[in-house]
mmCIF file of all heavy atoms in Angstrom:
data_model
loop_
_atom_site.group_PDB
_atom_site.id
_atom_site.type_symbol
_atom_site.label_atom_id
_atom_site.label_comp_id
_atom_site.label_asym_id
_atom_site.label_seq_id
_atom_site.Cartn_x
_atom_site.Cartn_y
_atom_site.Cartn_z
ATOM 1 N N HIS A 30 80.252 -113.299 23.213
ATOM 2 C CA HIS A 30 79.738 -112.751 22.040
ATOM 3 C C HIS A 30 80.094 -111.234 22.112
ATOM 4 O O HIS A 30 79.559 -110.466 22.924
ATOM 5 C CB HIS A 30 78.190 -112.877 21.792
ATOM 6 C CG HIS A 30 77.722 -114.308 21.738
ATOM 7 N ND1 HIS A 30 77.469 -115.041 22.812
ATOM 8 C CD2 HIS A 30 77.553 -115.050 20.676
ATOM 9 C CE1 HIS A 30 77.159 -116.366 22.379
ATOM 10 N NE2 HIS A 30 77.159 -116.304 21.022
ATOM 11 N N PHE A 31 80.792 -110.777 21.052
ATOM 12 C CA PHE A 31 81.162 -109.406 20.936
ATOM 13 C C PHE A 31 80.429 -108.725 19.846
ATOM 14 O O PHE A 31 80.270 -109.109 18.619
ATOM 15 C CB PHE A 31 82.664 -109.172 20.570
ATOM 16 C CG PHE A 31 83.133 -107.802 20.385
ATOM 17 C CD1 PHE A 31 83.489 -107.022 21.481
ATOM 18 C CD2 PHE A 31 83.204 -107.267 18.984
ATOM 19 C CE1 PHE A 31 83.847 -105.693 21.273
ATOM 20 C CE2 PHE A 31 83.559 -105.895 18.860
ATOM 21 C CZ PHE A 31 83.921 -105.153 20.029
ATOM 22 N N LEU A 32 79.659 -107.593 20.365
ATOM 23 C CA LEU A 32 78.710 -106.887 19.367
ATOM 24 C C LEU A 32 79.290 -105.488 19.155
ATOM 25 O O LEU A 32 79.685 -104.751 20.065
ATOM 26 C CB LEU A 32 77.384 -106.690 20.067
ATOM 27 C CG LEU A 32 76.471 -107.937 20.192
ATOM 28 C CD1 LEU A 32 76.912 -108.868 21.300
ATOM 29 C CD2 LEU A 32 75.035 -107.545 20.296
ATOM 30 N N CYS A 33 79.458 -105.217 17.942
ATOM 31 C CA CYS A 33 80.115 -103.868 17.479
ATOM 32 C C CYS A 33 79.164 -102.778 17.496
ATOM 33 O O CYS A 33 78.804 -102.102 16.470
ATOM 34 C CB CYS A 33 80.770 -104.022 16.064
ATOM 35 S SG CYS A 33 81.939 -102.770 15.682
ATOM 36 N N GLY A 34 78.443 -102.643 18.613
ATOM 37 C CA GLY A 34 77.500 -101.612 18.850
ATOM 38 C C GLY A 34 76.945 -101.724 20.308
ATOM 39 O O GLY A 34 77.130 -102.729 20.928
ATOM 40 N N ALA A 35 76.188 -100.668 20.651
ATOM 41 C CA ALA A 35 75.479 -100.667 22.068
ATOM 42 C C ALA A 35 74.034 -100.511 21.797
ATOM 43 O O ALA A 35 73.516 -99.990 20.932
ATOM 44 C CB ALA A 35 76.104 -99.598 22.850
ATOM 45 N N GLY A 36 73.292 -101.243 22.752
ATOM 46 C CA GLY A 36 71.799 -101.159 22.635
ATOM 47 C C GLY A 36 71.284 -101.866 21.491
ATOM 48 O O GLY A 36 70.228 -101.660 20.913
ATOM 49 N N VAL A 37 72.028 -102.943 20.957
ATOM 50 C CA VAL A 37 71.631 -103.612 19.885
ATOM 51 C C VAL A 37 70.439 -104.461 20.040
ATOM 52 O O VAL A 37 69.530 -104.570 19.209
ATOM 53 C CB VAL A 37 72.796 -104.485 19.379
ATOM 54 C CG1 VAL A 37 72.369 -105.540 18.215
ATOM 55 C CG2 VAL A 37 74.007 -103.603 18.917
ATOM 56 N N GLU A 38 70.401 -105.209 21.289
ATOM 57 C CA GLU A 38 69.231 -106.042 21.604
ATOM 58 C C GLU A 38 68.336 -105.459 22.613
ATOM 59 O O GLU A 38 68.766 -104.551 23.433
ATOM 60 C CB GLU A 38 69.869 -107.397 22.062
ATOM 61 C CG GLU A 38 70.677 -108.169 21.089
ATOM 62 C CD GLU A 38 71.280 -109.330 21.687
ATOM 63 O OE1 GLU A 38 70.701 -110.399 21.845
ATOM 64 O OE2 GLU A 38 72.531 -109.268 22.013
ATOM 65 N N ALA A 39 67.087 -105.947 22.703
ATOM 66 C CA ALA A 39 66.097 -105.394 23.628
ATOM 67 C C ALA A 39 66.663 -105.473 25.027
ATOM 68 O O ALA A 39 67.052 -106.478 25.410
ATOM 69 C CB ALA A 39 64.775 -106.093 23.398
ATOM 70 N N GLY A 40 66.568 -104.416 25.828
ATOM 71 C CA GLY A 40 67.013 -104.380 27.250
ATOM 72 C C GLY A 40 68.447 -104.185 27.440
ATOM 73 O O GLY A 40 68.838 -103.997 28.608
ATOM 74 N N VAL A 41 69.281 -103.990 26.393
ATOM 75 C CA VAL A 41 70.599 -103.689 26.644
ATOM 76 C C VAL A 41 70.893 -102.105 26.357
ATOM 77 O O VAL A 41 70.447 -101.600 25.241
ATOM 78 C CB VAL A 41 71.613 -104.477 25.643
ATOM 79 C CG1 VAL A 41 73.013 -104.044 25.840
ATOM 80 C CG2 VAL A 41 71.311 -105.883 25.802
ATOM 81 N N PRO A 42 71.553 -101.285 27.199
ATOM 82 C CA PRO A 42 71.483 -99.881 27.111
ATOM 83 C C PRO A 42 72.382 -99.415 26.011
ATOM 84 O O PRO A 42 73.375 -100.058 25.555
ATOM 85 C CB PRO A 42 72.142 -99.554 28.515
ATOM 86 C CG PRO A 42 72.932 -100.667 29.008
ATOM 87 C CD PRO A 42 72.148 -101.854 28.514
ATOM 88 N N THR A 43 71.988 -98.206 25.497
ATOM 89 C CA THR A 43 72.835 -97.449 24.545
ATOM 90 C C THR A 43 73.928 -96.727 25.336
ATOM 91 O O THR A 43 73.886 -96.728 26.693
ATOM 92 C CB THR A 43 72.024 -96.559 23.741
ATOM 93 O OG1 THR A 43 71.305 -95.666 24.565
ATOM 94 C CG2 THR A 43 71.114 -97.338 22.890
ATOM 95 N N VAL A 44 74.724 -95.895 24.736
ATOM 96 C CA VAL A 44 75.645 -94.946 25.380
ATOM 97 C C VAL A 44 75.390 -93.607 25.124
ATOM 98 O O VAL A 44 74.888 -93.260 24.028
ATOM 99 C CB VAL A 44 77.123 -95.397 25.058
ATOM 100 C CG1 VAL A 44 77.430 -96.854 25.466
ATOM 101 C CG2 VAL A 44 77.346 -95.276 23.593
ATOM 102 N N PRO A 45 75.684 -92.556 25.963
ATOM 103 C CA PRO A 45 75.436 -91.254 25.791
ATOM 104 C C PRO A 45 75.886 -90.614 24.462
ATOM 105 O O PRO A 45 75.153 -89.853 23.790
ATOM 106 C CB PRO A 45 75.964 -90.541 26.950
ATOM 107 C CG PRO A 45 76.046 -91.609 28.052
ATOM 108 C CD PRO A 45 76.401 -92.858 27.292
ATOM 109 N N SER A 46 77.229 -91.107 24.112
ATOM 110 C CA SER A 46 77.734 -90.268 22.907
ATOM 111 C C SER A 46 77.290 -90.957 21.601
ATOM 112 O O SER A 46 77.600 -90.533 20.510
ATOM 113 C CB SER A 46 79.309 -90.618 22.988
ATOM 114 O OG SER A 46 79.694 -92.012 22.955
ATOM 115 N N GLY A 47 76.556 -92.122 21.739
ATOM 116 C CA GLY A 47 76.045 -92.819 20.450
ATOM 117 C C GLY A 47 77.100 -93.615 19.827
ATOM 118 O O GLY A 47 76.804 -94.131 18.672
ATOM 119 N N SER A 48 78.099 -94.052 20.461
ATOM 120 C CA SER A 48 79.154 -95.026 19.874
ATOM 121 C C SER A 48 79.636 -95.884 20.886
ATOM 122 O O SER A 48 80.410 -95.461 21.865
ATOM 123 C CB SER A 48 80.285 -94.182 19.321
ATOM 124 O OG SER A 48 81.207 -95.001 18.602
ATOM 125 N N GLY A 49 79.326 -97.140 20.866
ATOM 126 C CA GLY A 49 79.632 -98.113 21.990
ATOM 127 C C GLY A 49 79.874 -99.471 21.334
ATOM 128 O O GLY A 49 79.679 -99.785 20.228
ATOM 129 N N LEU A 50 80.196 -100.381 22.363
ATOM 130 C CA LEU A 50 80.424 -101.751 22.132
ATOM 131 C C LEU A 50 79.764 -102.530 23.281
ATOM 132 O O LEU A 50 79.480 -101.998 24.438
ATOM 133 C CB LEU A 50 81.870 -102.177 22.117
ATOM 134 C CG LEU A 50 82.873 -101.370 21.135
ATOM 135 C CD1 LEU A 50 84.297 -101.674 21.537
ATOM 136 C CD2 LEU A 50 82.544 -101.727 19.846
ATOM 137 N N THR A 51 79.422 -103.803 22.939
ATOM 138 C CA THR A 51 78.882 -104.732 23.949
ATOM 139 C C THR A 51 79.650 -105.932 23.955
ATOM 140 O O THR A 51 80.012 -106.681 22.868
ATOM 141 C CB THR A 51 77.330 -104.941 23.566
ATOM 142 O OG1 THR A 51 76.671 -103.802 23.408
ATOM 143 C CG2 THR A 51 76.730 -105.944 24.774
ATOM 144 N N LEU A 52 79.831 -106.552 25.136
ATOM 145 C CA LEU A 52 80.392 -107.965 25.163
ATOM 146 C C LEU A 52 79.486 -108.711 26.082
ATOM 147 O O LEU A 52 79.149 -108.445 27.252
ATOM 148 C CB LEU A 52 81.841 -107.921 25.817
ATOM 149 C CG LEU A 52 82.526 -109.228 25.987
ATOM 150 C CD1 LEU A 52 82.582 -110.025 24.615
ATOM 151 C CD2 LEU A 52 83.874 -109.120 26.552
ATOM 152 N N ASN A 53 78.920 -109.773 25.562
ATOM 153 C CA ASN A 53 78.043 -110.721 26.297
ATOM 154 C C ASN A 53 78.795 -112.009 26.728
ATOM 155 O O ASN A 53 79.618 -112.537 25.843
ATOM 156 C CB ASN A 53 76.806 -110.993 25.401
ATOM 157 C CG ASN A 53 75.949 -111.986 25.906
ATOM 158 O OD1 ASN A 53 76.265 -113.209 25.730
ATOM 159 N ND2 ASN A 53 74.883 -111.599 26.607
ATOM 160 N N CYS A 54 78.437 -112.599 27.841
ATOM 161 C CA CYS A 54 79.102 -113.877 28.169
ATOM 162 C C CYS A 54 78.071 -114.725 28.891
ATOM 163 O O CYS A 54 77.035 -114.218 29.474
ATOM 164 C CB CYS A 54 80.274 -113.651 28.955
ATOM 165 S SG CYS A 54 80.034 -113.034 30.605
ATOM 166 N N TYR A 55 78.260 -116.061 28.829
ATOM 167 C CA TYR A 55 77.356 -116.877 29.664
ATOM 168 C C TYR A 55 78.139 -118.212 30.010
ATOM 169 O O TYR A 55 78.975 -118.590 29.351
ATOM 170 C CB TYR A 55 75.925 -117.217 29.007
ATOM 171 C CG TYR A 55 75.956 -117.672 27.546
ATOM 172 C CD1 TYR A 55 76.545 -118.835 27.187
ATOM 173 C CD2 TYR A 55 75.464 -116.917 26.539
ATOM 174 C CE1 TYR A 55 76.420 -119.355 25.840
ATOM 175 C CE2 TYR A 55 75.359 -117.348 25.233
ATOM 176 C CZ TYR A 55 75.995 -118.563 24.897
ATOM 177 O OH TYR A 55 75.927 -119.011 23.515
ATOM 178 N N ASN A 56 77.560 -118.812 31.004
ATOM 179 C CA ASN A 56 77.996 -120.160 31.520
ATOM 180 C C ASN A 56 77.425 -121.188 30.378
ATOM 181 O O ASN A 56 76.140 -121.238 30.210
ATOM 182 C CB ASN A 56 77.424 -120.399 32.818
ATOM 183 C CG ASN A 56 77.516 -121.767 33.331
ATOM 184 O OD1 ASN A 56 78.367 -122.588 32.917
ATOM 185 N ND2 ASN A 56 76.705 -122.149 34.316
ATOM 186 N N LEU A 57 78.174 -122.034 29.887
ATOM 187 C CA LEU A 57 77.803 -122.926 28.815
ATOM 188 C C LEU A 57 76.948 -124.049 29.228
ATOM 189 O O LEU A 57 76.095 -124.541 28.401
ATOM 190 C CB LEU A 57 79.066 -123.457 28.101
ATOM 191 C CG LEU A 57 79.719 -122.531 27.135
ATOM 192 C CD1 LEU A 57 81.043 -123.170 26.653
ATOM 193 C CD2 LEU A 57 78.978 -122.193 25.963
ATOM 194 N N ARG A 58 77.139 -124.587 30.516
ATOM 195 C CA ARG A 58 76.313 -125.608 30.775
ATOM 196 C C ARG A 58 75.799 -125.515 32.274
ATOM 197 O O ARG A 58 76.052 -126.058 33.216
ATOM 198 C CB ARG A 58 77.216 -126.944 30.869
ATOM 199 C CG ARG A 58 77.775 -127.176 29.538
ATOM 200 C CD ARG A 58 78.795 -128.374 29.320
ATOM 201 N NE ARG A 58 79.410 -128.432 28.168
ATOM 202 C CZ ARG A 58 80.446 -127.670 27.748
ATOM 203 N NH1 ARG A 58 80.910 -126.773 28.604
ATOM 204 N NH2 ARG A 58 80.946 -127.652 26.533
ATOM 205 N N PRO A 59 74.616 -124.627 32.308
ATOM 206 C CA PRO A 59 73.983 -124.323 33.557
ATOM 207 C C PRO A 59 73.310 -125.593 34.215
ATOM 208 O O PRO A 59 72.862 -126.473 33.412
ATOM 209 C CB PRO A 59 72.912 -123.294 33.251
ATOM 210 C CG PRO A 59 72.683 -123.505 31.762
ATOM 211 C CD PRO A 59 74.041 -123.971 31.109
ATOM 212 N N LYS A 60 73.373 -125.566 35.477
ATOM 213 C CA LYS A 60 72.695 -126.711 36.264
ATOM 214 C C LYS A 60 71.164 -126.474 36.521
ATOM 215 O O LYS A 60 70.427 -127.425 36.703
ATOM 216 C CB LYS A 60 73.476 -126.995 37.485
ATOM 217 C CG LYS A 60 74.900 -127.444 37.332
ATOM 218 C CD LYS A 60 75.587 -127.636 38.659
ATOM 219 C CE LYS A 60 76.967 -128.136 38.448
ATOM 220 N NZ LYS A 60 77.730 -128.341 39.834
ATOM 221 N N SER A 61 70.914 -125.121 36.525
ATOM 222 C CA SER A 61 69.444 -124.790 36.791
ATOM 223 C C SER A 61 68.575 -125.390 35.799
ATOM 224 O O SER A 61 68.809 -125.287 34.586
ATOM 225 C CB SER A 61 69.349 -123.219 36.869
ATOM 226 O OG SER A 61 70.195 -122.624 37.810
ATOM 227 N N ARG A 62 67.319 -125.771 36.267
ATOM 228 C CA ARG A 62 66.295 -126.360 35.457
ATOM 229 C C ARG A 62 65.025 -125.637 35.749
ATOM 230 O O ARG A 62 64.615 -125.449 36.892
ATOM 231 C CB ARG A 62 66.151 -127.756 35.659
ATOM 232 C CG ARG A 62 67.327 -128.614 35.245
ATOM 233 C CD ARG A 62 67.680 -128.641 33.734
ATOM 234 N NE ARG A 62 68.795 -129.482 33.277
ATOM 235 C CZ ARG A 62 70.046 -129.032 33.209
ATOM 236 N NH1 ARG A 62 70.341 -127.771 33.525
ATOM 237 N NH2 ARG A 62 70.907 -129.870 32.835
ATOM 238 N N GLY A 63 64.249 -125.384 34.638
ATOM 239 C CA GLY A 63 62.985 -124.658 34.800
ATOM 240 C C GLY A 63 61.888 -125.470 34.135
ATOM 241 O O GLY A 63 61.916 -126.774 34.041
ATOM 242 N N SER A 64 60.834 -124.753 33.689
ATOM 243 C CA SER A 64 59.553 -125.453 33.169
ATOM 244 C C SER A 64 58.854 -124.548 32.249
ATOM 245 O O SER A 64 58.994 -123.334 32.264
ATOM 246 C CB SER A 64 58.698 -125.927 34.398
ATOM 247 O OG SER A 64 58.264 -124.742 35.032
ATOM 248 N N VAL A 65 58.038 -125.374 31.423
ATOM 249 C CA VAL A 65 56.858 -124.656 30.658
ATOM 250 C C VAL A 65 55.648 -125.254 31.086
ATOM 251 O O VAL A 65 55.496 -126.403 31.111
ATOM 252 C CB VAL A 65 57.157 -124.868 29.158
ATOM 253 C CG1 VAL A 65 55.897 -124.310 28.368
ATOM 254 C CG2 VAL A 65 58.459 -124.256 28.682
ATOM 255 N N ARG A 66 54.673 -124.341 31.562
ATOM 256 C CA ARG A 66 53.305 -124.909 31.893
ATOM 257 C C ARG A 66 52.227 -124.024 31.211
ATOM 258 O O ARG A 66 52.559 -122.910 30.785
ATOM 259 C CB ARG A 66 53.125 -124.714 33.388
ATOM 260 C CG ARG A 66 54.035 -125.726 34.296
ATOM 261 C CD ARG A 66 53.425 -127.082 34.079
ATOM 262 N NE ARG A 66 54.160 -128.109 34.799
ATOM 263 C CZ ARG A 66 55.093 -128.862 34.266
ATOM 264 N NH1 ARG A 66 55.364 -128.807 33.022
ATOM 265 N NH2 ARG A 66 55.651 -129.915 34.884
ATOM 266 N N LEU A 67 51.088 -124.594 31.095
ATOM 267 C CA LEU A 67 50.009 -123.885 30.416
ATOM 268 C C LEU A 67 49.411 -122.884 31.403
ATOM 269 O O LEU A 67 49.357 -123.186 32.617
ATOM 270 C CB LEU A 67 48.908 -124.881 29.979
ATOM 271 C CG LEU A 67 49.269 -125.974 29.087
ATOM 272 C CD1 LEU A 67 48.144 -126.809 28.721
ATOM 273 C CD2 LEU A 67 49.745 -125.315 27.590
ATOM 274 N N ARG A 68 49.082 -121.739 30.827
ATOM 275 C CA ARG A 68 48.286 -120.785 31.616
ATOM 276 C C ARG A 68 46.941 -121.065 31.679
ATOM 277 O O ARG A 68 46.140 -120.790 32.601
ATOM 278 C CB ARG A 68 48.438 -119.443 30.925
ATOM 279 C CG ARG A 68 48.018 -118.247 31.720
ATOM 280 C CD ARG A 68 48.252 -116.915 30.981
ATOM 281 N NE ARG A 68 49.585 -116.721 30.552
ATOM 282 C CZ ARG A 68 50.484 -116.059 31.247
ATOM 283 N NH1 ARG A 68 50.208 -115.555 32.574
ATOM 284 N NH2 ARG A 68 51.734 -115.863 30.930
ATOM 285 N N SER A 69 46.369 -121.743 30.603
ATOM 286 C CA SER A 69 45.011 -122.179 30.478
ATOM 287 C C SER A 69 44.926 -123.254 29.415
ATOM 288 O O SER A 69 45.861 -123.575 28.804
ATOM 289 C CB SER A 69 43.965 -120.953 30.209
ATOM 290 O OG SER A 69 44.109 -120.666 28.848
ATOM 291 N N GLY A 70 43.677 -123.801 29.218
ATOM 292 C CA GLY A 70 43.450 -124.695 28.022
ATOM 293 C C GLY A 70 43.269 -123.960 26.814
ATOM 294 O O GLY A 70 42.814 -124.735 25.834
ATOM 295 N N ASN A 71 43.325 -122.662 26.714
ATOM 296 C CA ASN A 71 43.070 -121.758 25.528
ATOM 297 C C ASN A 71 44.379 -121.796 24.697
ATOM 298 O O ASN A 71 45.462 -121.323 25.168
ATOM 299 C CB ASN A 71 42.599 -120.523 25.843
ATOM 300 C CG ASN A 71 42.202 -119.774 24.599
ATOM 301 O OD1 ASN A 71 42.707 -119.975 23.525
ATOM 302 N ND2 ASN A 71 41.299 -118.795 24.766
ATOM 303 N N TYR A 72 44.353 -122.327 23.499
ATOM 304 C CA TYR A 72 45.648 -122.368 22.684
ATOM 305 C C TYR A 72 46.197 -120.890 22.384
ATOM 306 O O TYR A 72 47.403 -120.870 22.111
ATOM 307 C CB TYR A 72 45.415 -123.092 21.403
ATOM 308 C CG TYR A 72 44.787 -122.313 20.337
ATOM 309 C CD1 TYR A 72 45.391 -121.631 19.289
ATOM 310 C CD2 TYR A 72 43.375 -122.177 20.259
ATOM 311 C CE1 TYR A 72 44.884 -120.896 18.361
ATOM 312 C CE2 TYR A 72 42.767 -121.450 19.266
ATOM 313 C CZ TYR A 72 43.536 -120.757 18.305
ATOM 314 O OH TYR A 72 42.892 -120.116 17.365
ATOM 315 N N THR A 73 45.452 -119.915 22.525
ATOM 316 C CA THR A 73 45.879 -118.560 22.175
ATOM 317 C C THR A 73 46.696 -117.953 23.324
ATOM 318 O O THR A 73 47.349 -116.917 23.188
ATOM 319 C CB THR A 73 44.730 -117.637 21.798
ATOM 320 O OG1 THR A 73 43.859 -117.469 22.783
ATOM 321 C CG2 THR A 73 44.015 -118.285 20.575
ATOM 322 N N ASP A 74 46.514 -118.459 24.493
ATOM 323 C CA ASP A 74 47.143 -118.008 25.683
ATOM 324 C C ASP A 74 48.678 -118.378 25.711
ATOM 325 O O ASP A 74 49.016 -119.409 25.444
ATOM 326 C CB ASP A 74 46.431 -118.526 26.979
ATOM 327 C CG ASP A 74 45.168 -117.772 27.290
ATOM 328 O OD1 ASP A 74 44.857 -116.658 26.659
ATOM 329 O OD2 ASP A 74 44.449 -118.255 28.188
ATOM 330 N N ARG A 75 49.438 -117.364 26.098
ATOM 331 C CA ARG A 75 50.882 -117.632 26.163
ATOM 332 C C ARG A 75 51.230 -118.550 27.352
ATOM 333 O O ARG A 75 50.568 -118.445 28.466
ATOM 334 C CB ARG A 75 51.658 -116.379 26.471
ATOM 335 C CG ARG A 75 51.443 -115.361 25.280
ATOM 336 C CD ARG A 75 52.055 -114.009 25.558
ATOM 337 N NE ARG A 75 51.962 -113.117 24.460
ATOM 338 C CZ ARG A 75 52.140 -111.830 24.496
ATOM 339 N NH1 ARG A 75 52.435 -111.208 25.675
ATOM 340 N NH2 ARG A 75 51.962 -110.951 23.498
ATOM 341 N N PRO A 76 52.071 -119.448 27.166
ATOM 342 C CA PRO A 76 52.402 -120.433 28.270
ATOM 343 C C PRO A 76 53.201 -119.653 29.351
ATOM 344 O O PRO A 76 53.675 -118.526 29.257
ATOM 345 C CB PRO A 76 53.359 -121.440 27.708
ATOM 346 C CG PRO A 76 53.884 -120.775 26.486
ATOM 347 C CD PRO A 76 52.841 -119.817 25.985
#
C-alpha cells in the first residue's frame, strides 16, 4: 500500500521537512494464530 504522505496513520512517523511518503507491506497469508478472550464478565470491559 503506497501512501502519498508520512505520519498518516497512528504510530507511523512524520518527516522533518514535512513532505514524505509511506510504503506499507505485509505477508498475505500468515500462519500465526492468536485469540480473543474476555477480560471479565462485564460487557463494558475491552477484550
Side-chain angles (χ1 to χ4, degrees):
H30 295 86
F31 177 80
L32 290 76
C33 196
V37 174
E38 297 173 80
V41 181
T43 58
V44 295
S46 67
S48 184
L50 303 171
T51 306
L52 182 56
N53 169 276
C54 66
Y55 52 65
N56 169 21
L57 282 171
R58 297 171 191 86
K60 296 178 179 178
S61 302
R62 296 292 184 268
S64 65
V65 175
R66 288 289 177 262
L67 296 179
R68 191 180 301 271
S69 74
N71 187 335
Y72 79 97
T73 63
D74 284 347
R75 296 169 181 167

